[in-house]
Structures are given as C-alpha cells and as structure tokens.
C-alpha cells in the first residue's frame, strides 16, 4: 500500500469527484470562446505548415560563355520607327535577335510593323543548315524578303560611299527629337515567383525638352529551385537612372541607353517547407496555451461571480 500511495502522489492530473463538478453559464461562455480561438489558431497553423518559404544563398558565379537572354517591350510615343535605331557596341558571332518595331499613330494604335532580323550580325546567306531549319517558317513571310533586299541595298550603298571617301554632316534641332518612352517589360530571363523587375511599367515623358536617358543595370545571375527540385536559371537586376538634358552647345544626340554589367555573384533561391515535427510543436504550444488560459479565466470569473452573489459577501460590502 505504501508503494501504491507513493505512485499515486506523483499524479499531476488529479480527478475531481463527479458530485463536486458544477457547470455554470460563465464556464460555458469561456468554453465556447476558447474553442473558437483554438479552431482559428489550428487553421492558421495548418495554413502556415502547408505554405512554402524561400532560402537565399550566395556563391561565386563560375559559369562562363553563356548567352544572356534579354526581353524588352517599350514604346516611344513621339518617335517614329525610322528614327529609332538600335546601337550595340559589341560584336557577338552567336548573337540571335528577334525584334519587332510597331509603328504607332498619335493615338497609340498600330499602323505598321517592321521586323529587325540579325542580318548585320549574321548574313542570312551564310547561315548554317540548322539555323535555316529553325527559321524555316518565319522565312516564308513576304515582309522578311523585302526587308532583306532593302537591307542588302543599304549595305551596298554604304560600301560604295566608303569607297568614294564620302563623309556626313548632321545638323538640325536635336531638341525636337522627343525620346519620351514607356518601358512595359524589361527582363533578363524567365520570371519566378516573387520576382519584381524594377523597370516594368516605367514611364518617362518629356515636354518642351529632350536629352539622354541612361539606365545603369546590374545583373545578378539567379537560380530558382522549386520544391519539386526543378531548377529555373534566370537573372534579376537592380538599376540606377540618369537623365542629361540637351543644351544648345551639346553635340550628343538624344537617346535611351541601357548599360548593363554582370555581377560575379550568383544567387540561389530555394523553396522549402516546414517539417511535420515543427508543425506539431507549434500546434501543441498554441492549443495548450489557449486551453490553460481559458481554464484560468474560468476560475477567475467563477470566483468573482460567487463573491458577488453570496449573501454573506454582500452583507460584508454593506
């Protein structure tokens, strides 16, 4: 009997006799409130457990010689397509372009298209067999043939002018060249969840002036690893903007420049999910805490109501 009594004394969950239990309206109210709170916390913890979070890691970029994908979609509302010239300062033998110019009227409606192929970078007549197969469908378009012929005539005209030693003097009102623009989308690879490109939906409108816009872009190679182990190689970037207004002594021409540089650091973003043990730990903590708090609140309310309704207590207050 002594051993059993000792073991029973270790019970931290003592049982109350049923005839001593008493149900009250205040206890019912506290119980309902406690159940609502615990159900809400359970749903919150379950949602938190089912959602993923991301972990960012940085490392030195060891990749070399990869092609940088560039996607740009922008509008020059006050600049005709014939005046919009793309200048590249670096020659890449494996550069492949796919750029369209859309002629717009004063109301922003499309009135014509022009396709800019990579004729200058890679002569269409010297493309290899694979490249011909890749562009087989697009080569059937009539505007493509007309553009190739016009470009060939232009190149021959430039060669002839160079042989004759011709030069060129340009003068006029550069201030009237309005390079107002709207950047709808500028990206350097596919988008991943949570990516925000800082130049998307950028609008720069000039009134009664002109100048040069320069966007200095820092490109950071990025790998996004989904929870399914799928890897998405892409790039994110930061940008700083500079505008130089024109003056009467300025010899530069109004333009919009995108100057970019690659970071030597690559960022890896991983999707992770919470462990089941972490979920059970948090759930036990919030539910157990709520149960203990409601029990303590029930005892306080019971004692307060009993003190106010007992005749001896009311007589003592008088």
């Amino acid at each position: 009997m002594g051993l059993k009594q000792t073991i029973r004394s270790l019970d931290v969950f003592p049982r109350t006799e049923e005839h001593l239990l008493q149900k009250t309206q205040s206890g019912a109210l506290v119980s309902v409130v406690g159940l609502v709170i615990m159900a809400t916390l359970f749903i919150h913890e379950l949602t938190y457990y089912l959602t993923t979070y991301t972990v960012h890691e940085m490392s030195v970029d060891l990749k070399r010689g990869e092609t940088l994908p560039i996607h740009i979609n922008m509008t020059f509302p006050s600049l005709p397509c014939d005046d919009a010239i793309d200048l590249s300062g670096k020659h890449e033998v494996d550069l492949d372009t796919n750029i369209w110019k859309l002629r717009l009227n004063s109301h922003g409606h499309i009135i014509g298209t022009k396709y800019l192929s990579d004729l200058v970078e890679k002569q269409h007549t010297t493309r290899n067999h694979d490249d011909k197969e890749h562009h087989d469908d697009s080569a059937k378009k009539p505007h493509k043939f007309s553009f190739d012929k016009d470009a060939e005539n232009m190149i021959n005209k430039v060669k002839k002018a160079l042989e004759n030693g011709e030069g060129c003097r340009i003068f006029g009102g550069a201030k009237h060249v309005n390079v107002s623009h709207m950047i709808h989308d500028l990206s350097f690879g596919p988008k991943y969840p949570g990516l925000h490109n800082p130049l998307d939906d950028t609008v720069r409108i000039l009134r009664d002036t002109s100048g040069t816009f320069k966007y200095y872009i820092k490109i950071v190679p990025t790998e996004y690893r989904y929870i399914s182990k799928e890897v998405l190689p892409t790039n994110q970037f930061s940008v700083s903007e500079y505008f130089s207004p024109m003056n009467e002594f300025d010899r530069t021409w109004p333009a919009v420049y995108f100057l970019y540089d690659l970071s030597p650091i690559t960022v890896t973003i991983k999707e992770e999910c919470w462990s089941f043990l972490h979920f059970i730990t948090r759930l036990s903590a919030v539910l157990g805490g709520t149960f203990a708090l409601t029990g303590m609140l029930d005892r306080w309310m019971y004692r307060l109501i009993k003190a106010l309704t007992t005749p001896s207590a009311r007589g003592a207050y008088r």
Side-chain angles (χ1 to χ4, degrees):
M1 294 296 296
L3 180 59
K4 291 183 179 181
Q5 192 68 26
T6 303
I7 295 176
R8 292 180 61 181
S9 64
L10 299 177
D11 186 9
V12 295
F13 303 103
R15 301 294 184 270
T16 305
E17 297 294 337
E18 291 188 4
H19 68 277
L20 297 178
L21 296 177
Q22 183 179 1
K23 295 183 179 181
T24 61
Q25 293 182 353
S26 61
L29 178 63
V30 172
S31 299
V32 172
V33 173
L35 289 175
V36 172
I37 294 176
M38 286 190 286
T40 304
L41 293 177
F42 173 77
I43 295 175
H44 176 269
E45 290 299 323
L46 182 61
T47 305
Y48 183 76
Y49 168 69
L50 296 177
T51 56
T52 60
Y53 64 96
T54 56
V55 177
H56 294 69
E57 298 178 354
M58 293 187 297
S59 60
V60 178
D61 186 17
L62 301 178
K63 298 179 181 179
R64 293 293 184 269
E66 293 191 352
T67 303
L68 179 66
I70 302 176
H71 178 266
I72 185 169
N73 181 9
M74 62 186 302
T75 299
F76 292 90
S78 303
L79 190 66
C81 282
D82 291 338
D83 292 338
I85 304 175
D86 177 33
L87 297 178
S88 299
K90 185 178 181 182
H91 177 74
E92 295 286 352
V93 295
D94 60 345
L95 180 66
D96 190 12
T97 59
N98 183 19
I99 301 177
W100 288 82
K101 283 184 180 180
L102 303 179
R103 294 174 55 207
L104 306 177
N105 59 16
S106 59
H107 302 287
H109 301 298
I110 299 175
I111 58 176
T113 62
K114 181 179 289 186
Y115 179 74
L116 302 182
S117 67
D118 49 340
L119 177 64
V120 178
E121 295 288 347
K122 295 189 297 185
Q123 297 293 334
H124 285 275
T125 58
T126 60
R127 285 190 174 187
N128 55 36
H129 180 70
D130 294 337
D131 195 36
K132 287 182 179 178
E133 291 181 351
H134 180 69
H135 293 285
D136 183 56
D137 295 335
S138 60
K140 297 179 181 178
K141 297 180 181 179
H143 71 270
K144 186 85 174 284
F145 284 113
S146 62
F147 178 73
D148 290 347
K149 185 177 180 180
D150 294 341
E152 185 178 355
N153 294 334
M154 180 189 66
I155 294 175
N156 292 331
K157 185 183 297 185
V158 172
K159 288 182 179 179
K160 185 176 180 180
L162 291 175
E163 292 175 356
N164 296 334
E166 295 184 12
C168 180
R169 178 181 178 182
I170 300 176
F171 62 94
K175 290 186 177 180
H176 297 287
V177 179
N178 193 334
V179 291
S180 298
H181 57 278
M182 294 173 285
I183 304 175
H184 307 291
D185 179 31
L186 176 62
S187 59
F188 297 89
K191 295 184 178 181
Y192 59 84
L195 175 64
H196 172 70
N197 294 322
L199 285 180
D200 287 358
D201 300 323
T202 298
V203 178
R204 297 293 180 266
I205 303 298
L206 299 178
R207 304 186 186 279
D208 301 327
T209 185
S210 188
T212 300
F213 289 91
K214 291 184 178 181
Y215 296 96
Y216 296 93
I217 300 173
K218 191 69 172 182
I219 301 175
V220 181
T222 304
E223 282 188 354
Y224 192 89
R225 299 179 180 270
Y226 291 92
I227 197 170
S228 61
K229 306 303 180 183
E230 180 185 355
V231 179
L232 177 66
T234 183
N235 298 276
Q236 54 183 322
F237 66 94
S238 61
V239 62
S240 57
E241 179 183 349
Y242 175 76
F243 174 71
S244 176
M246 295 289 299
N247 56 64
E248 56 181 347
F249 303 105
D250 201 341
R251 297 183 179 180
T252 60
W253 196 256
V256 178
Y257 294 98
F258 295 93
L259 310 172
Y260 63 88
D261 184 26
L262 291 173
S263 171
I265 302 298
T266 182
V267 176
T268 302
I269 305 175
K270 297 181 180 179
E271 283 186 349
E272 300 286 350
C273 61
W274 302 103
S275 65
F276 183 74
L277 182 61
H278 183 269
F279 168 68
I280 292 298
T281 303
R282 289 177 57 95
L283 187 62
S284 301
V286 296
L287 295 184
T290 304
F291 183 80
L293 181 61
T294 53
M296 185 169 52
L297 181 61
D298 176 59
R299 288 193 297 270
W300 289 346
M301 291 184 63
Y302 176 76
R303 292 175 182 177
L304 178 61
I305 295 175
K306 186 177 180 180
L308 295 176
T309 56
T310 301
S312 58
R314 286 184 297 178
Y317 284 118
R318 293 176 182 174

PDB file of all heavy atoms in Angstrom, residues 100 113-115 138 140-148 150:
ATOM      1  N   TRP A 100      10.815  43.258 -83.114  1.00  0.00           N
ATOM      2  CA  TRP A 100       9.802  43.868 -83.963  1.00  0.00           C
ATOM      3  C   TRP A 100       9.639  45.331 -83.603  1.00  0.00           C
ATOM      4  O   TRP A 100       9.690  45.693 -82.438  1.00  0.00           O
ATOM      5  CB  TRP A 100       8.454  43.164 -83.790  1.00  0.00           C
ATOM      6  CG  TRP A 100       8.392  41.800 -84.396  1.00  0.00           C
ATOM      7  CD1 TRP A 100       8.841  40.636 -83.856  1.00  0.00           C
ATOM      8  CD2 TRP A 100       7.850  41.460 -85.671  1.00  0.00           C
ATOM      9  NE1 TRP A 100       8.610  39.595 -84.692  1.00  0.00           N
ATOM     10  CE2 TRP A 100       7.998  40.066 -85.822  1.00  0.00           C
ATOM     11  CE3 TRP A 100       7.255  42.191 -86.695  1.00  0.00           C
ATOM     12  CZ2 TRP A 100       7.570  39.392 -86.967  1.00  0.00           C
ATOM     13  CZ3 TRP A 100       6.817  41.522 -87.825  1.00  0.00           C
ATOM     14  CH2 TRP A 100       6.986  40.140 -87.960  1.00  0.00           C
ATOM     15  N   THR A 113       4.169  47.399 -89.122  1.00  0.00           N
ATOM     16  CA  THR A 113       5.169  46.618 -88.402  1.00  0.00           C
ATOM     17  C   THR A 113       6.445  46.542 -89.209  1.00  0.00           C
ATOM     18  O   THR A 113       6.446  46.672 -90.443  1.00  0.00           O
ATOM     19  CB  THR A 113       4.664  45.194 -88.125  1.00  0.00           C
ATOM     20  OG1 THR A 113       4.433  44.529 -89.365  1.00  0.00           O
ATOM     21  CG2 THR A 113       3.386  45.211 -87.301  1.00  0.00           C
ATOM     22  N   LYS A 114       7.538  46.345 -88.516  1.00  0.00           N
ATOM     23  CA  LYS A 114       8.839  46.156 -89.153  1.00  0.00           C
ATOM     24  C   LYS A 114       9.621  45.159 -88.330  1.00  0.00           C
ATOM     25  O   LYS A 114       9.731  45.295 -87.117  1.00  0.00           O
ATOM     26  CB  LYS A 114       9.603  47.479 -89.242  1.00  0.00           C
ATOM     27  CG  LYS A 114      10.960  47.347 -89.919  1.00  0.00           C
ATOM     28  CD  LYS A 114      11.669  48.685 -89.999  1.00  0.00           C
ATOM     29  CE  LYS A 114      10.986  49.596 -91.012  1.00  0.00           C
ATOM     30  NZ  LYS A 114      11.747  50.851 -91.217  1.00  0.00           N
ATOM     31  N   TYR A 115      10.151  44.137 -88.990  1.00  0.00           N
ATOM     32  CA  TYR A 115      10.897  43.077 -88.317  1.00  0.00           C
ATOM     33  C   TYR A 115      12.386  43.340 -88.457  1.00  0.00           C
ATOM     34  O   TYR A 115      12.884  43.529 -89.570  1.00  0.00           O
ATOM     35  CB  TYR A 115      10.544  41.716 -88.921  1.00  0.00           C
ATOM     36  CG  TYR A 115      11.289  40.558 -88.308  1.00  0.00           C
ATOM     37  CD1 TYR A 115      10.953  40.098 -87.036  1.00  0.00           C
ATOM     38  CD2 TYR A 115      12.315  39.931 -88.990  1.00  0.00           C
ATOM     39  CE1 TYR A 115      11.614  39.029 -86.472  1.00  0.00           C
ATOM     40  CE2 TYR A 115      12.994  38.869 -88.430  1.00  0.00           C
ATOM     41  CZ  TYR A 115      12.641  38.419 -87.165  1.00  0.00           C
ATOM     42  OH  TYR A 115      13.308  37.362 -86.614  1.00  0.00           O
ATOM     43  N   SER A 138       9.386  31.272 -90.426  1.00  0.00           N
ATOM     44  CA  SER A 138       9.386  32.737 -90.490  1.00  0.00           C
ATOM     45  C   SER A 138       9.958  33.243 -91.789  1.00  0.00           C
ATOM     46  O   SER A 138       9.671  34.358 -92.212  1.00  0.00           O
ATOM     47  CB  SER A 138      10.173  33.301 -89.306  1.00  0.00           C
ATOM     48  OG  SER A 138      11.500  32.833 -89.359  1.00  0.00           O
ATOM     49  N   LYS A 140       9.203  32.372 -94.690  1.00  0.00           N
ATOM     50  CA  LYS A 140       8.190  32.393 -95.727  1.00  0.00           C
ATOM     51  C   LYS A 140       7.399  33.688 -95.735  1.00  0.00           C
ATOM     52  O   LYS A 140       6.583  33.917 -96.620  1.00  0.00           O
ATOM     53  CB  LYS A 140       7.236  31.213 -95.537  1.00  0.00           C
ATOM     54  CG  LYS A 140       7.944  29.868 -95.682  1.00  0.00           C
ATOM     55  CD  LYS A 140       6.955  28.729 -95.455  1.00  0.00           C
ATOM     56  CE  LYS A 140       7.656  27.378 -95.563  1.00  0.00           C
ATOM     57  NZ  LYS A 140       6.724  26.257 -95.294  1.00  0.00           N
ATOM     58  N   LYS A 141       7.613  34.540 -94.740  1.00  0.00           N
ATOM     59  CA  LYS A 141       6.841  35.767 -94.651  1.00  0.00           C
ATOM     60  C   LYS A 141       7.344  36.752 -95.706  1.00  0.00           C
ATOM     61  O   LYS A 141       8.535  36.982 -95.820  1.00  0.00           O
ATOM     62  CB  LYS A 141       6.970  36.374 -93.256  1.00  0.00           C
ATOM     63  CG  LYS A 141       6.391  35.458 -92.169  1.00  0.00           C
ATOM     64  CD  LYS A 141       6.545  36.090 -90.814  1.00  0.00           C
ATOM     65  CE  LYS A 141       5.994  35.173 -89.728  1.00  0.00           C
ATOM     66  NZ  LYS A 141       6.145  35.760 -88.385  1.00  0.00           N
ATOM     67  N   PRO A 142       6.444  37.411 -96.446  1.00  0.00           N
ATOM     68  CA  PRO A 142       6.872  38.298 -97.522  1.00  0.00           C
ATOM     69  C   PRO A 142       7.630  39.507 -97.014  1.00  0.00           C
ATOM     70  O   PRO A 142       8.538  39.981 -97.666  1.00  0.00           O
ATOM     71  CB  PRO A 142       5.549  38.701 -98.199  1.00  0.00           C
ATOM     72  CG  PRO A 142       4.488  38.442 -97.163  1.00  0.00           C
ATOM     73  CD  PRO A 142       4.971  37.293 -96.362  1.00  0.00           C
ATOM     74  N   HIS A 143       7.272  40.039 -95.840  1.00  0.00           N
ATOM     75  CA  HIS A 143       7.974  41.225 -95.352  1.00  0.00           C
ATOM     76  C   HIS A 143       9.421  40.915 -95.018  1.00  0.00           C
ATOM     77  O   HIS A 143      10.272  41.785 -95.046  1.00  0.00           O
ATOM     78  CB  HIS A 143       7.248  41.801 -94.122  1.00  0.00           C
ATOM     79  CG  HIS A 143       7.387  40.967 -92.919  1.00  0.00           C
ATOM     80  ND1 HIS A 143       6.492  39.963 -92.620  1.00  0.00           N
ATOM     81  CD2 HIS A 143       8.324  40.955 -91.942  1.00  0.00           C
ATOM     82  CE1 HIS A 143       6.862  39.377 -91.493  1.00  0.00           C
ATOM     83  NE2 HIS A 143       7.968  39.963 -91.075  1.00  0.00           N
ATOM     84  N   LYS A 144       9.706  39.658 -94.729  1.00  0.00           N
ATOM     85  CA  LYS A 144      11.082  39.274 -94.420  1.00  0.00           C
ATOM     86  C   LYS A 144      11.953  39.402 -95.657  1.00  0.00           C
ATOM     87  O   LYS A 144      13.068  39.896 -95.623  1.00  0.00           O
ATOM     88  CB  LYS A 144      11.090  37.837 -93.888  1.00  0.00           C
ATOM     89  CG  LYS A 144      12.437  37.350 -93.394  1.00  0.00           C
ATOM     90  CD  LYS A 144      12.619  37.790 -91.967  1.00  0.00           C
ATOM     91  CE  LYS A 144      13.901  37.179 -91.387  1.00  0.00           C
ATOM     92  NZ  LYS A 144      13.719  35.769 -91.074  1.00  0.00           N
ATOM     93  N   PHE A 145      11.415  38.954 -96.845  1.00  0.00           N
ATOM     94  CA  PHE A 145      12.190  39.043 -98.058  1.00  0.00           C
ATOM     95  C   PHE A 145      12.403  40.492 -98.474  1.00  0.00           C
ATOM     96  O   PHE A 145      13.494  40.877 -98.888  1.00  0.00           O
ATOM     97  CB  PHE A 145      11.475  38.285 -99.184  1.00  0.00           C
ATOM     98  CG  PHE A 145      11.595  36.788 -99.080  1.00  0.00           C
ATOM     99  CD1 PHE A 145      10.473  36.013 -98.808  1.00  0.00           C
ATOM    100  CD2 PHE A 145      12.812  36.161 -99.227  1.00  0.00           C
ATOM    101  CE1 PHE A 145      10.570  34.637 -98.700  1.00  0.00           C
ATOM    102  CE2 PHE A 145      12.919  34.805 -99.128  1.00  0.00           C
ATOM    103  CZ  PHE A 145      11.806  34.025 -98.860  1.00  0.00           C
ATOM    104  N   SER A 146      11.376  41.308 -98.349  1.00  0.00           N
ATOM    105  CA  SER A 146      11.515  42.709 -98.725  1.00  0.00           C
ATOM    106  C   SER A 146      12.507  43.418 -97.823  1.00  0.00           C
ATOM    107  O   SER A 146      13.289  44.233 -98.289  1.00  0.00           O
ATOM    108  CB  SER A 146      10.144  43.397 -98.682  1.00  0.00           C
ATOM    109  OG  SER A 146       9.627  43.365 -97.358  1.00  0.00           O
ATOM    110  N   PHE A 147      12.493  43.098 -96.549  1.00  0.00           N
ATOM    111  CA  PHE A 147      13.436  43.741 -95.638  1.00  0.00           C
ATOM    112  C   PHE A 147      14.866  43.310 -95.943  1.00  0.00           C
ATOM    113  O   PHE A 147      15.785  44.101 -95.909  1.00  0.00           O
ATOM    114  CB  PHE A 147      13.074  43.421 -94.199  1.00  0.00           C
ATOM    115  CG  PHE A 147      14.030  44.022 -93.194  1.00  0.00           C
ATOM    116  CD1 PHE A 147      14.019  45.383 -92.942  1.00  0.00           C
ATOM    117  CD2 PHE A 147      14.948  43.232 -92.536  1.00  0.00           C
ATOM    118  CE1 PHE A 147      14.892  45.940 -92.036  1.00  0.00           C
ATOM    119  CE2 PHE A 147      15.830  43.781 -91.638  1.00  0.00           C
ATOM    120  CZ  PHE A 147      15.794  45.130 -91.388  1.00  0.00           C
ATOM    121  N   ASP A 148      15.076  42.017 -96.276  1.00  0.00           N
ATOM    122  CA  ASP A 148      16.414  41.546 -96.605  1.00  0.00           C
ATOM    123  C   ASP A 148      16.946  42.266 -97.837  1.00  0.00           C
ATOM    124  O   ASP A 148      18.118  42.637 -97.894  1.00  0.00           O
ATOM    125  CB  ASP A 148      16.383  40.036 -96.848  1.00  0.00           C
ATOM    126  CG  ASP A 148      16.146  39.264 -95.555  1.00  0.00           C
ATOM    127  OD1 ASP A 148      16.258  39.905 -94.500  1.00  0.00           O
ATOM    128  OD2 ASP A 148      15.851  38.064 -95.619  1.00  0.00           O
ATOM    129  N   ASP A 150      16.026  45.267 -99.001  1.00  0.00           N
ATOM    130  CA  ASP A 150      16.302  46.673 -98.652  1.00  0.00           C
ATOM    131  C   ASP A 150      17.586  46.791 -97.847  1.00  0.00           C
ATOM    132  O   ASP A 150      18.372  47.719 -98.046  1.00  0.00           O
ATOM    133  CB  ASP A 150      15.130  47.246 -97.853  1.00  0.00           C
ATOM    134  CG  ASP A 150      13.870  47.333 -98.688  1.00  0.00           C
ATOM    135  OD1 ASP A 150      13.983  47.303 -99.929  1.00  0.00           O
ATOM    136  OD2 ASP A 150      12.776  47.410 -98.085  1.00  0.00           O
TER     137      ASP A 150
END
